[in-house]
Protein backbone atom coordinates (compact mmCIF):
# COMPACT_ATOMS: atom_id res chain seq x y z
CA UNK A 1 0.00 0.00 0.00
CA UNK A 2 2.79 2.38 0.92
CA UNK A 3 4.52 1.57 -2.37
CA UNK A 4 1.40 2.58 -4.27
CA UNK A 5 1.20 5.84 -2.36
CA UNK A 6 4.87 6.53 -3.02
CA UNK A 7 4.41 5.79 -6.73
CA UNK A 8 1.36 8.02 -6.87
CA UNK A 9 3.22 10.83 -5.10
CA UNK A 10 6.19 10.46 -7.46
CA UNK A 11 3.92 10.45 -10.52
CA UNK A 12 2.12 13.56 -9.32
CA UNK A 13 5.36 15.37 -8.59
CA UNK A 14 6.80 14.35 -11.98
CA UNK A 15 3.69 15.59 -13.80
CA UNK A 16 3.80 18.86 -11.90
CA UNK A 17 7.50 19.24 -12.74
CA UNK A 18 6.81 18.73 -16.44
CA UNK A 19 3.99 21.25 -16.32
CA UNK A 20 6.18 23.82 -14.60
CA UNK A 21 9.03 23.20 -17.06
CA UNK A 22 6.72 23.58 -20.05
CA UNK A 23 5.22 26.75 -18.61
CA UNK A 24 8.69 28.14 -17.92
CA UNK A 25 9.63 28.47 -21.57
CA UNK A 26 6.25 28.84 -23.26
CA UNK A 27 5.29 31.69 -20.92
CA UNK A 28 8.20 33.77 -22.22
CA UNK A 29 6.09 34.88 -25.17
CA UNK A 30 2.46 35.72 -25.88
CA UNK A 31 1.08 34.47 -29.23
CA UNK A 32 1.93 36.73 -32.18
CA UNK A 33 -0.33 37.10 -35.21
CA UNK A 34 1.95 37.84 -38.15
CA UNK A 35 0.89 39.79 -41.23
CA UNK A 36 2.05 39.10 -44.76
CA UNK A 37 5.75 39.42 -45.54
CA UNK A 38 6.46 42.46 -47.73
CA UNK A 39 9.43 43.42 -49.91
CA UNK A 40 11.08 46.68 -48.94
CA UNK A 41 10.84 49.26 -51.72
CA UNK A 42 12.37 52.38 -50.17
CA UNK A 43 8.98 54.00 -49.53
CA UNK A 44 9.23 55.53 -46.04
CA UNK A 45 5.50 54.94 -45.56
CA UNK A 46 6.35 51.26 -45.08
CA UNK A 47 7.56 52.21 -41.59
CA UNK A 48 4.41 51.99 -39.46
CA UNK A 49 3.39 54.91 -37.26
CA UNK A 50 0.06 53.91 -35.69
CA UNK A 51 -0.37 54.05 -31.92
CA UNK A 52 2.59 55.29 -29.88
CA UNK A 53 6.24 54.24 -30.04
CA UNK A 54 7.41 51.80 -27.34
CA UNK A 55 10.91 51.32 -28.76
CA UNK A 56 12.81 51.20 -32.07
CA UNK A 57 16.35 49.91 -32.63
CA UNK A 58 18.79 49.26 -35.47
CA UNK A 59 21.95 47.17 -35.79
CA UNK A 60 25.11 47.95 -37.71
CA UNK A 61 25.75 51.42 -36.27
CA UNK A 62 25.94 53.32 -33.00
CA UNK A 63 24.09 56.23 -34.61
CA UNK A 64 20.32 56.55 -34.59
CA UNK A 65 18.41 57.09 -37.82
CA UNK A 66 14.92 58.49 -38.36
CA UNK A 67 12.55 57.12 -41.01
CA UNK A 68 8.98 58.38 -41.42
CA UNK A 69 9.25 60.15 -38.08
CA UNK A 70 10.38 57.00 -36.22
CA UNK A 71 13.82 57.23 -34.58
CA UNK A 72 15.69 53.91 -34.49
CA UNK A 73 18.31 53.85 -31.70
CA UNK A 74 21.78 52.58 -32.55
CA UNK A 75 23.84 49.95 -30.73
CA UNK A 76 25.22 51.03 -27.35
CA UNK A 77 26.78 47.76 -26.20
CA UNK A 78 27.69 44.23 -27.29
CA UNK A 79 29.09 41.88 -24.68
CA UNK A 80 28.69 38.18 -23.95
CA UNK A 81 26.30 37.74 -26.84
CA UNK A 82 23.96 40.45 -25.50
CA UNK A 83 23.24 43.55 -27.61
CA UNK A 84 21.80 46.68 -25.98
CA UNK A 85 20.49 49.91 -27.49
CA UNK A 86 20.78 52.62 -24.84
CA UNK A 87 17.54 53.17 -22.95
CA UNK A 88 15.43 51.37 -25.57
CA UNK A 89 13.43 48.50 -23.96
CA UNK A 90 14.75 45.99 -26.53
CA UNK A 91 17.77 43.67 -26.27
CA UNK A 92 19.21 40.80 -28.32
CA UNK A 93 20.49 37.60 -26.73
CA UNK A 94 22.64 34.85 -28.23
CA UNK A 95 24.31 37.03 -30.85
CA UNK A 96 27.65 35.89 -32.22
CA UNK A 97 29.06 38.85 -34.13
CA UNK A 98 28.18 41.98 -36.06
CA UNK A 99 28.46 41.65 -39.83
CA UNK A 100 28.41 43.94 -42.83
CA UNK A 101 25.54 44.15 -45.28
CA UNK A 102 25.74 42.21 -48.53
CA UNK A 103 24.53 45.18 -50.54
CA UNK A 104 23.28 48.75 -50.40
CA UNK A 105 19.96 50.39 -51.14
CA UNK A 106 19.77 52.97 -53.93
CA UNK A 107 20.49 56.55 -52.87
CA UNK A 108 16.85 57.43 -53.54
CA UNK A 109 15.88 55.39 -50.46
CA UNK A 110 17.39 58.08 -48.20
CA UNK A 111 17.34 57.34 -44.48
CA UNK A 112 15.33 54.17 -45.12
CA UNK A 113 18.29 52.90 -47.14
CA UNK A 114 20.67 53.79 -44.31
CA UNK A 115 18.51 51.80 -41.89
CA UNK A 116 18.63 48.57 -43.90
CA UNK A 117 22.10 48.82 -45.46
CA UNK A 118 24.34 49.28 -42.40
CA UNK A 119 24.73 45.62 -41.46
CA UNK A 120 23.43 43.68 -38.49
CA UNK A 121 24.03 40.96 -35.91
CA UNK A 122 24.40 37.28 -36.63
CA UNK A 123 23.04 34.76 -34.15
CA UNK A 124 24.83 31.64 -32.93
CA UNK A 125 23.72 28.00 -32.39
CA UNK A 126 22.28 27.82 -35.89
CA UNK A 127 20.96 25.96 -37.85
CA UNK A 128 17.96 24.31 -36.23
CA UNK A 129 18.37 25.49 -32.66
CA UNK A 130 15.88 24.46 -29.98
CA UNK A 131 13.58 26.99 -28.35
CA UNK A 132 12.59 24.50 -25.64
CA UNK A 133 16.18 23.89 -24.58
CA UNK A 134 17.06 27.59 -24.71
CA UNK A 135 19.65 27.43 -27.51
CA UNK A 136 17.98 29.87 -29.93
CA UNK A 137 18.97 33.54 -30.15
CA UNK A 138 16.09 35.82 -29.24
CA UNK A 139 14.84 39.39 -29.01
CA UNK A 140 13.45 40.52 -25.66
CA UNK A 141 11.04 43.44 -25.38
CA UNK A 142 10.70 44.86 -21.85
CA UNK A 143 8.52 47.30 -19.90
CA UNK A 144 5.27 46.04 -21.43
CA UNK A 145 1.83 46.70 -19.96
CA UNK A 146 -0.11 43.48 -19.34
CA UNK A 147 -3.29 43.42 -21.42
CA UNK A 148 -2.02 46.04 -23.88
CA UNK A 149 -1.83 45.11 -27.57
CA UNK A 150 1.43 45.87 -29.37
CA UNK A 151 2.50 45.95 -33.01
CA UNK A 152 6.03 44.80 -33.79
CA UNK A 153 7.69 45.56 -37.13
CA UNK A 154 10.84 43.66 -38.11
CA UNK A 155 12.99 44.81 -41.03
CA UNK A 156 15.82 42.86 -42.63
CA UNK A 157 18.70 44.04 -44.79
CA UNK A 158 20.54 42.83 -47.88
CA UNK A 159 21.79 39.41 -46.76
CA UNK A 160 22.84 36.20 -48.39
CA UNK A 161 19.54 34.64 -49.45
CA UNK A 162 20.68 31.38 -47.85
CA UNK A 163 20.41 33.16 -44.49
CA UNK A 164 16.64 33.42 -44.38
CA UNK A 165 15.67 34.12 -40.76
CA UNK A 166 12.61 32.75 -39.00
CA UNK A 167 11.01 34.82 -36.21
CA UNK A 168 8.75 32.96 -33.79
CA UNK A 169 6.80 33.43 -30.57
CA UNK A 170 7.84 29.91 -29.51
CA UNK A 171 4.28 28.60 -29.75
CA UNK A 172 4.15 27.73 -33.43
CA UNK A 173 3.44 31.21 -34.83
CA UNK A 174 6.37 32.09 -37.06
CA UNK A 175 7.34 34.04 -40.15
CA UNK A 176 10.45 33.89 -42.36
CA UNK A 177 12.15 36.91 -43.94
CA UNK A 178 14.67 37.24 -46.77
CA UNK A 179 14.05 34.00 -48.56
CA UNK A 180 13.77 33.71 -52.31
CA UNK A 181 15.46 35.17 -55.36
CA UNK A 182 18.65 37.27 -55.30
CA UNK A 183 18.24 41.04 -55.16
CA UNK A 184 20.63 42.08 -57.93
CA UNK A 185 21.22 44.80 -59.04
CA UNK A 186 20.97 46.23 -55.48
CA UNK A 187 24.09 44.42 -54.31
CA UNK A 188 25.84 41.09 -54.56
CA UNK A 189 24.12 38.45 -56.67
CA UNK A 190 23.96 36.40 -53.46
CA UNK A 191 21.93 39.11 -51.74
CA UNK A 192 18.27 38.54 -50.93
CA UNK A 193 15.42 40.97 -51.51
CA UNK A 194 15.15 42.85 -48.18
CA UNK A 195 11.81 42.23 -46.50
CA UNK A 196 9.77 43.35 -43.51
CA UNK A 197 6.77 42.08 -41.55
CA UNK A 198 4.36 43.39 -38.92
CA UNK A 199 2.93 41.23 -36.13
CA UNK A 200 0.59 41.89 -33.21
CA UNK A 201 0.49 40.44 -29.70
CA UNK A 202 -1.24 41.23 -26.43
CA UNK A 203 1.21 41.30 -23.53
CA UNK A 204 0.57 38.68 -20.85
CA UNK A 205 3.60 39.72 -18.81
CA UNK A 206 6.10 42.57 -18.67
CA UNK A 207 8.45 41.03 -21.27
CA UNK A 208 8.00 39.40 -24.66
CA UNK A 209 10.46 37.18 -26.49
CA UNK A 210 10.76 36.69 -30.23
CA UNK A 211 12.97 33.71 -31.10
CA UNK A 212 15.18 33.49 -34.18
CA UNK A 213 15.95 30.29 -36.06
CA UNK A 214 17.09 29.05 -39.47
CA UNK A 215 17.30 25.79 -41.37
CA UNK A 216 20.42 26.89 -43.24
CA UNK A 217 23.37 28.78 -41.81
CA UNK A 218 22.74 31.96 -39.80
CA UNK A 219 20.03 34.19 -38.39
CA UNK A 220 20.36 37.93 -38.88
CA UNK A 221 18.85 40.91 -37.06
CA UNK A 222 18.75 44.34 -38.71
CA UNK A 223 16.06 46.61 -37.22
CA UNK A 224 12.72 46.57 -35.47
CA UNK A 225 10.19 48.78 -33.74
CA UNK A 226 7.43 48.12 -31.20
CA UNK A 227 4.33 50.30 -30.90
CA UNK A 228 1.23 50.24 -28.75
CA UNK A 229 -1.59 49.16 -31.04
CA UNK A 230 -4.63 51.33 -31.57
CA UNK A 231 -7.46 49.51 -29.73
CA UNK A 232 -10.09 47.80 -31.86
CA UNK A 233 -13.61 48.43 -30.46
CA UNK A 234 -15.38 45.35 -29.13
CA UNK A 235 -18.57 44.35 -31.05
CA UNK A 236 -20.74 45.34 -28.06
CA UNK A 237 -19.08 48.75 -28.00
CA UNK A 238 -19.78 49.23 -31.70
CA UNK A 239 -23.44 48.28 -31.16
CA UNK A 240 -23.78 50.76 -28.30
CA UNK A 241 -22.18 53.55 -30.33
CA UNK A 242 -24.41 52.77 -33.32
CA UNK A 243 -27.51 52.75 -31.11
CA UNK A 244 -26.50 56.06 -29.55
CA UNK A 245 -25.99 57.67 -32.96
CA UNK A 246 -29.35 56.37 -34.14
CA UNK A 247 -30.97 57.79 -31.02
CA UNK A 248 -29.39 61.20 -31.64
CA UNK A 249 -30.65 61.13 -35.22
CA UNK A 250 -34.22 60.25 -34.18
CA UNK A 251 -34.25 62.93 -31.47
CA UNK A 252 -32.98 65.51 -33.94
CA UNK A 253 -35.71 64.72 -36.46
CA UNK A 254 -38.42 64.90 -33.77
CA UNK A 255 -37.09 68.24 -32.57
CA UNK A 256 -37.28 69.64 -36.10
CA UNK A 257 -40.86 68.41 -36.56
CA UNK A 258 -42.00 69.85 -33.22
CA UNK A 259 -40.35 73.27 -33.55
CA UNK A 260 -42.64 76.16 -34.72
CA UNK A 261 -42.21 77.23 -38.33
CA UNK A 262 -40.06 80.29 -38.76
CA UNK A 263 -41.34 83.26 -40.67
CA UNK A 264 -40.18 83.45 -44.25
Amino acid sequence: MSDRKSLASFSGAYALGLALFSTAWVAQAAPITWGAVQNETGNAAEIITGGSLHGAVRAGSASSVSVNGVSFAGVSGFSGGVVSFGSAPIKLYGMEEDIASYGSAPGSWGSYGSLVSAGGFRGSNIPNCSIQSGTCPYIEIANLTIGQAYDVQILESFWNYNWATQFSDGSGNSVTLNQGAPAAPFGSTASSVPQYVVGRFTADQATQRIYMNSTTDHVVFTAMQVRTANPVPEPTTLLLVSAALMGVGVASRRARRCSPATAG
Side-chain angles (χ1 to χ4, degrees):
M1 187 70 172
S2 59
D3 290 343
R4 291 182 181 178
K5 289 183 178 180
S6 298
L7 180 60
S9 299
F10 173 79
S11 299
Y14 180 74
L16 178 60
L18 283 179
L20 291 174
F21 174 78
S22 300
T23 303
W25 71 265
V26 172
Q28 297 297 322
I32 300 176
T33 301
W34 298 104
V37 173
Q38 305 289 338
N39 289 344
E40 296 166 12
T41 67
N43 182 355
E46 293 169 359
I47 306 301
I48 63 172
T49 58
S52 59
L53 184 65
H54 183 72
V57 300
R58 52 96 55 108
S61 174
S63 302
S64 62
V65 62
S66 181
V67 186
N68 199 25
V70 179
S71 181
F72 292 80
V75 178
S76 62
F78 178 31
S79 177
V82 180
V83 183
S84 54
F85 304 88
S87 61
I90 300 169
K91 287 186 177 181
L92 309 180
Y93 292 85
M95 295 294 104
E96 184 178 9
E97 62 179 344
D98 53 343
I99 53 177
S101 178
Y102 256 60
S104 298
S108 59
W109 284 32
S111 58
Y112 191 166
S114 299
L115 177 67
V116 298
S117 299
F121 283 97
R122 184 174 73 180
S124 57
N125 298 317
I126 303 298
N128 296 319
C129 61
S130 171
I131 296 173
Q132 291 89 336
S133 62
T135 59
C136 286
Y138 61 90
I139 305 160
E140 185 167 272
I141 308 163
N143 303 337
L144 300 174
T145 300
I146 296 175
Q148 170 67 53
Y150 293 88
D151 288 329
V152 53
Q153 181 177 31
I154 300 174
L155 302 104
E156 288 286 62
S157 184
F158 297 87
W159 301 116
N160 185 314
Y161 63 87
N162 291 314
W163 296 0
T165 301
Q166 180 191 80
F167 297 88
S168 169
D169 60 13
S171 300
N173 304 305
S174 63
V175 65
T176 302
L177 299 183
N178 280 29
Q179 59 183 344
F186 291 135
S188 164
T189 55
S191 176
S192 61
V193 176
Q195 296 179 322
Y196 72 91
V197 70
V198 177
R200 176 170 291 190
F201 67 92
T202 299
D204 57 9
Q205 56 184 353
T207 59
Q208 170 78 12
R209 287 186 181 181
I210 300 176
Y211 299 91
M212 294 180 281
N213 201 351
S214 174
T215 58
T216 54
D217 192 4
H218 303 291
V219 297
V220 175
F221 175 90
T222 301
M224 72 176 293
Q225 66 161 320
V226 182
R227 309 187 70 88
T228 57
N230 288 322
V232 178
E234 295 290 334
T236 51
T237 303
L238 292 175
L239 288 173
L240 289 172
V241 172
S242 299
L245 291 174
M246 290 176 63
V248 170
V250 170
S252 178
R253 287 194 295 272
R254 286 179 177 174
R256 286 198 297 270
R257 286 200 300 268
C258 295
S259 61
T262 56

